[in-house]
Amino acid sequence: LTSYPTPAGGGRTVTEALRADGRTAHLPILSVTSRAFPEELARATAAGVTGSLVMPVPPARVADEVRRLLGARGPGRPAVSAR
């Protein structure tokens, strides 16, 4: 879960680092952003963000999206295995 983009580039930097590392390249990345412009969302997707939510977003919606990205099969049981 990251904020993308940020003025200092933090979310972009984290996304690029995760995608460049073979140990983390497969992990889903969820971006929470205040920028709903289609070109911003497209840049985030091109950088490797798996899904984006535009603020304001209710906490329950964030939790639902995390479950969806992880392929959750019930409370506390993500389909993605720990390495």
Side-chain angles (χ1 to χ4, degrees):
L1 181 61
T2 185
S3 177
Y4 190 105
T6 62
R12 182 180 60 243
T13 302
V14 169
T15 298
E16 291 169 353
L18 289 169
R19 292 297 177 237
D21 187 326
R23 298 169 296 173
T24 58
H26 68 284
L27 295 175
I29 300 172
L30 177 60
S31 167
V32 179
T33 183
S34 61
R35 298 183 184 184
F37 303 111
E39 59 274 6
E40 290 284 349
L41 298 174
R43 274 194 285 274
T45 300
V49 169
T50 312
S52 295
L53 296 173
V54 179
M55 292 188 287
V57 57
R61 176 70 179 105
V62 175
D64 288 346
E65 188 65 9
V66 168
R67 279 190 214 90
R68 185 188 74 74
L69 289 174
L70 293 177
R73 295 191 176 107
R77 296 189 185 132
V80 174
S81 61
R83 291 184 183 223

